[in-house]
Amino acid sequence: MDKEPLEKTSQQPLEKDKLSSGEYKYGFYTSVDADLAPKGLNEEIVRLISGKKGEPGWMLAWRLKAFRHWQTMTEPHWANFQYDPVDYQGIHYYSAPKKKADGPGGLEEVDPEVVRAFDRLGIPVSEQKRLSGVAVDAVFDSISVGTTHQNELAKYGIIFCPISEALQKHPGLVKKYLGSVVPYTDNFFAALNSAVFTDGSFCFIPKGVRCPIELSTYFRINAAQTGQFERTLIIAEEGAYVSYLEGCTAPMRDENQLHAAVVELIALDNAEIKYSTVQNWYSGDKDGKGGIYNFVTKRGQCRGNNSKISWTQVEAGSAITWKYPAVILQGDDSTGEFYSVALTNHRMQADTGTKMIHAGKRTRSTIISKGISTDQSNNTYRGLVKILPSAEQARNFSRCDSMLVGNQCSANTFPYIEVDNRSATLEHEASTSKINADQIFYLQSRGLDTEAAISLIINGFCKEVFQELPMEFAVEAVKLLELKLEGSVG
Amino acid sequence: MLEIKDLTISMNGVEILKGINLSVKQGEVHAIMGPNGSGKSTLAKIIAGHPDYTATRGEILFNINGKMVNILGLAPEDRAREGVFLAFQYPVEIPGVSNAIFLRAAFNEICRYHGAAEMDPLDFDAFLREKMARLSMDEKYVNRPVNVDFSGGEKKRNEILQMAILNPRLAVLDETDSGLDVDSMRVVADGVNRLKSGNNAFIVITHYQRLLNYIVPDVVHILKDGRIVRTAGRELALEVENKGYDWLKQG
């Protein structure tokens, strides 16, 4: 990953026939009896989803407005992608594993196959086996199948539950905040999600409470020809703190599957939200067949003064990733951060980055993006830093580094900067580098094998991002990247 | 400890090394001199196992646990673990990876291979700083990324530092003196001399005689056009210094 060699070393590019990277470990399918909506999207389907969840009337009305608005929109194609058009009428918009009996709910009624599937993914959902220090909401296709630690969290006044449950138990809170950061008119996929979202997590951290454990959601797509449209809403009241993690996987299939999520974060005065993602959706085979189309709208609003929102993402899966976690820095002295590692292999296409919108005075933002591309993949960073006239003395620091492994991949960086206040300070750094055979040989000649050498190089490259992840997640992320890069060099 | 027999290497149909024979015993320092393009660096790289070069004929025997083993079949990392070290002519940059992390990873890898206990970060830090002080390397190089923004001289010192840390049985120095001023050369030579013992051996590849004023060789070989054309004692280096290489005939 030297920049242009200054010395006359033999910067041998890696041979292309040696390039092909690791297998996907989470590609299994669980056979369950599912409650499946008919294919296609129309008002009836929207009503059906709302009905399944027993939603209040205002929710259905909002969904229908979103649906009608979506019908007026067209799929955006400004991203750096090539893919066949999505057939929105060829998808099931609701698929839920059937419960054993109709009852008051609870994990004991969930199909044991579903519980086993989560166990296999290393996500124990039963309270007996639950992870200490992490509360988990497990979402299987269109519904949440279990949320751990709820009672403990309730003692602190923290609400952590599926959003469908929040609509039943805390409709006032949902109504107050849902769509307040990402309105349904925002973009094509956000409108679609608003019409047909099924499950996702709701987190509410009341004033002055520091959430004592990590909150997390694990998203699993299982059923074929379905889409997953989850909606997550996190609110941290004045002085509250929460660290939230999400993970995702899906079976290996030849068809493409759509995942269009919306995540909204709201931080009030002095509140802090730390949101971490390890995205490992199935990315298709080495010829680009199959994989998840991941069109996601994630946005946080630092609504209060001195609040902070931090996005950390490790994007290692999906055939297509379209994702720009944003922070609207509304409150004075608020802080937005974006730390990202995006790894693409085979024929994956990632177009990801962030938006930092500075409105408040003395607002600060930091962007650290690391893109790694291998095989024939295409990895794009796209980011916007916008300083509004009201943002006196705003500051931004951006750093975008790309690493290429092999000769057939590509990396692009599109940083957009719009400054409407002369007191702003912006810095932007960028680099492109390559892992080359000489680096591998150098490390080998010191006793490290190829895998250890690549791992050392990749860890060095991603260090600033990995150190932002919670400890166990960082370990997981390193392992995931190593697995993905296995056999990709040398 | 090292026995190279009839080593022949072709690249794109052109022979670069044409039947090299070389025997290095424990405790010896061998110098290999020769004009540009004579095959010196190729020889260094194939000893270390560079994947670009394959032998079309011959073998490289290296003493492993009392047996002479042809190391051409060993991966570069296994050669390193068995005690072969190459000080690179052009050390490679590894951005983002600190010198300390890199050196400890390498050191512990070799410990693991030999079933020895690994060194923890604190002990290793002390060990590293002591070695660096001896090479007059500034402490800032502990946490700087490997070779990134190092001057030419610092890169070469960093190679000698790695050698001092890994304590190889056979060290091949590929034009370590090129681009060094006299002071740096003294420091580098001092590093080599300090490491010298009856149990290890050195192959010093150089273009010029001057390094050999500081690292005194037992045997000098002249490599020309892929062949060793003359082998003699130290005086051969001085003769080359005066007369150049042209008077030496091939074979």
Side-chain angles (χ1 to χ4, degrees), chain A residues 1-2 6-10 12 436 438-439 441-450 452 456-457 460-461 463, chain B residues 48-52 76-77 80-81 85-86 88 90 92-93 95-97 102 105-106 109 147 155 159 162 166:
Chain A
M1 56 190 174
D2 292 328
L6 297 172
E7 294 178 287
K8 49 170 184 155
T9 49
S10 62
Q12 285 292 327
N436 59 59
D438 277 346
Q439 287 176 317
F441 175 62
Y442 189 66
L443 295 173
Q444 280 181 302
S445 76
R446 301 304 183 243
L448 301 171
D449 62 24
T450 311
L456 193 70
I457 294 169
F461 183 70
K463 193 171 55 188
Chain B
H50 197 289
D52 285 356
E77 60 269 27
R81 292 162 183 171
F85 181 89
L86 171 63
F88 281 58
Y90 301 109
V92 179
E93 297 180 6
V97 179
F102 159 59
E109 195 72 56
N147 295 327
K155 282 184 182 176
E159 293 294 291
Q162 293 170 42
L166 301 178

Side-chain angles (χ1 to χ4, degrees), chain A residues 64-379:
Chain A
L64 289 171
K65 273 195 285 185
F67 176 67
R68 286 165 199 151
H69 187 75
W70 177 75
Q71 286 180 304
T72 67
M73 302 172 97
T74 49
E75 199 181 279
H77 283 283
W78 43 261
N80 194 12
F81 297 140
Q82 287 182 321
Y83 63 97
D84 293 335
V86 177
D87 177 8
Y88 293 93
Q89 298 303 333
I91 302 173
H92 299 282
Y93 286 82
Y94 185 84
S95 170
K98 276 189 183 149
K99 288 181 175 179
K100 285 193 290 186
D102 274 337
L107 201 62
E108 53 285 355
E109 281 153 26
V110 172
D111 188 327
E113 282 303 319
V114 173
V115 177
R116 262 200 286 281
F118 280 108
D119 278 345
R120 215 173 141 184
L121 296 164
I123 311 295
V125 287
S126 64
E127 286 281 343
Q128 294 81 20
K129 288 194 210 159
R130 67 191 193 172
L131 304 164
S132 61
V134 185
V136 181
D137 181 20
V139 176
F140 194 85
D141 291 333
S142 302
I143 62 156
S144 165
V145 295
T147 310
T148 67
H149 295 76
Q150 277 180 306
N151 294 337
E152 269 165 81
L153 291 167
K155 288 180 209 151
Y156 296 89
I158 296 168
I159 304 165
F160 178 48
C161 65
I163 199 156
S164 51
E165 187 182 322
L167 275 162
Q168 303 290 335
K169 295 184 179 166
H170 314 282
L173 279 176
V174 179
K175 191 174 181 184
K176 182 173 174 188
Y177 291 107
L178 189 77
S180 70
V181 186
V182 181
Y184 63 76
T185 49
D186 192 80
N187 68 68
F188 180 85
F189 296 106
L192 176 64
N193 173 285
S194 300
V196 300
F197 76 86
T198 46
D199 237 330
S201 299
F202 177 80
C203 315
F204 176 81
I205 321 298
K207 193 170 172 176
V209 171
R210 193 180 166 85
C211 185
I213 55 176
E214 312 267 359
L215 304 184
S216 75
T217 308
Y218 193 93
F219 294 99
R220 175 72 176 169
I221 293 178
N222 186 62
Q225 297 178 312
T226 59
Q228 192 175 56
F229 305 92
E230 93 259 5
R231 185 109 194 171
T232 291
L233 179 57
I234 300 176
I235 302 129
E237 282 198 331
E238 292 84 351
Y241 168 85
V242 64
S243 170
Y244 174 92
L245 326 167
E246 67 169 345
C248 13
T249 57
M252 293 163 72
R253 291 210 174 86
D254 286 348
E255 55 174 286
N256 295 106
Q257 279 183 282
L258 183 63
H259 173 258
V262 173
V263 174
E264 294 176 279
L265 313 181
I266 295 125
L268 303 185
D269 286 352
N270 302 306
E272 180 177 349
I273 302 174
K274 191 171 165 54
Y275 191 107
S276 313
T277 304
V278 173
Q279 187 263 104
N280 188 22
W281 295 119
Y282 178 53
S283 57
D285 68 9
K286 66 178 172 27
D287 300 318
K289 203 168 170 59
I292 302 293
Y293 288 168
N294 192 32
F295 293 98
V296 173
T297 306
K298 290 187 167 173
R299 193 174 304 155
Q301 188 174 26
C302 284
R303 206 167 278 184
N305 292 336
N306 199 35
S307 55
K308 180 176 175 184
I309 289 178
S310 180
W311 297 101
T312 305
Q313 61 174 24
V314 176
E315 298 289 318
S318 300
I320 285 178
T321 299
W322 181 96
K323 179 182 171 187
Y324 316 90
V327 183
I328 299 168
L329 296 148
Q330 190 73 43
D332 291 344
D333 302 291
S334 58
T335 305
E337 293 174 339
F338 175 73
Y339 299 96
S340 171
V341 169
L343 176 121
T344 53
N345 68 349
H346 295 159
R347 289 176 187 268
M348 285 166 67
Q349 307 178 73
D351 191 309
T352 183
T354 184
K355 286 192 275 188
M356 292 291 173
I357 315 295
H358 292 252
K361 297 183 181 68
R362 297 171 303 277
T363 45
R364 297 179 304 272
S365 63
T366 303
I367 298 170
I368 307 284
S369 164
K370 307 280 180 175
I372 304 165
S373 6
T374 73
D375 303 333
Q376 288 111 49
S377 66
N378 188 2
N379 200 323

Side-chain angles (χ1 to χ4, degrees), chain A residues 371-439:
Chain A
I372 304 165
S373 6
T374 73
D375 303 333
Q376 288 111 49
S377 66
N378 188 2
N379 200 323
T380 297
Y381 168 82
R382 187 185 303 274
L384 169 67
V385 177
K386 191 177 176 74
I387 311 288
L388 295 169
S390 56
E392 287 295 325
Q393 294 172 334
R395 298 181 71 98
N396 164 266
F397 173 80
S398 301
R399 178 166 182 88
C400 303
D401 296 326
S402 306
M403 183 190 277
L404 303 166
V405 184
N407 298 330
Q408 294 176 295
C409 52
S410 67
N412 311 277
T413 302
F414 301 111
Y416 300 85
I417 295 172
E418 294 171 22
V419 179
D420 289 318
N421 186 312
R422 290 175 150 272
S423 66
T425 310
L426 283 85
E427 290 175 73
H428 182 90
E429 295 177 4
S431 75
T432 303
S433 53
K434 275 186 109 164
I435 291 191
N436 59 59
D438 277 346
Q439 287 176 317

Side-chain angles (χ1 to χ4, degrees), chain B:
Chain B
M1 95 172 357
L2 180 77
E3 194 78 46
I4 298 179
K5 289 182 177 167
D6 194 26
L7 184 66
T8 303
I9 291 171
S10 299
M11 231 183 156
N12 305 322
V14 180
E15 283 197 345
I16 310 172
L17 294 182
K18 303 168 180 172
I20 299 284
N21 290 292
L22 183 67
S23 176
V24 179
K25 295 192 178 63
Q26 273 190 6
E28 288 184 344
V29 175
H30 286 234
I32 295 178
M33 301 181 74
N36 284 333
S38 59
K40 301 190 301 290
S41 281
T42 303
L43 180 60
K45 284 178 180 163
I46 195 154
I47 292 172
H50 197 289
D52 285 356
Y53 303 98
T54 37
T56 43
R57 209 167 63 226
E59 48 190 13
I60 301 177
L61 302 172
F62 184 61
N63 187 328
I64 295 176
N65 300 322
K67 266 172 47 185
M68 293 304 274
V69 176
N70 185 4
I71 58 170
L72 283 173
L74 288 186
E77 60 269 27
D78 287 328
R79 300 186 200 192
R81 292 162 183 171
E82 290 295 352
V84 176
F85 181 89
L86 171 63
F88 281 58
Q89 185 179 5
Y90 301 109
V92 179
E93 297 180 6
I94 317 283
V97 179
S98 79
N99 231 5
I101 286 180
F102 159 59
L103 284 167
R104 193 163 71 86
F107 181 84
N108 280 338
E109 195 72 56
I110 291 173
C111 288
R112 262 199 296 282
Y113 182 77
H114 291 285
E118 293 175 34
M119 216 188 265
D120 72 43
L122 281 177
D123 289 345
F124 188 80
D125 191 63
F127 175 61
L128 175 62
R129 282 172 199 273
E130 183 218 312
K131 299 282 184 197
M132 287 177 79
R134 291 212 185 153
L135 287 165
S136 312
M137 278 181 86
D138 195 301
E139 293 207 342
K140 70 185 179 194
Y141 293 104
V142 172
N143 291 314
R144 290 263 290 266
V146 181
N147 295 327
V148 177
D149 298 328
F150 284 34
S151 71
E154 292 297 350
K155 282 184 182 176
K156 296 300 176 74
R157 281 187 208 201
N158 207 30
E159 293 294 291
I160 301 304
L161 172 67
Q162 293 170 42
M163 184 177 78
I165 297 276
L166 301 178
N167 194 15
R169 288 192 292 134
L170 174 70
V172 182
L173 279 66
D174 187 8
E175 299 206 22
T176 300
D177 55 332
S178 66
L180 289 190
D181 59 32
V182 176
D183 290 337
S184 300
M185 194 153 66
R186 277 212 188 96
V187 172
V188 164
D190 187 51
V192 172
N193 291 329
R194 208 185 284 275
L195 200 66
K196 239 173 88 174
S197 76
N199 298 323
N200 55 23
F202 292 83
I203 295 174
V204 179
I205 292 172
T206 181
H207 210 70
Y208 305 104
Q209 196 282 136
R210 59 176 192 168
L211 178 65
L212 305 178
N213 291 332
Y214 303 98
I215 304 173
V216 180
D218 299 295
V219 186
V220 176
H221 309 272
I222 307 297
L223 187 65
K224 201 180 168 195
D225 198 20
R227 287 190 177 88
I228 290 181
V229 293
R230 180 82 47 115
T231 296
R234 196 193 159 191
E235 66 286 353
L236 180 58
L238 291 166
E239 206 173 348
V240 164
E241 176 86 340
N242 293 330
K243 299 195 203 163
Y245 293 108
D246 285 345
W247 61 282
L248 288 159
K249 291 241 165 67
Q250 287 185 10

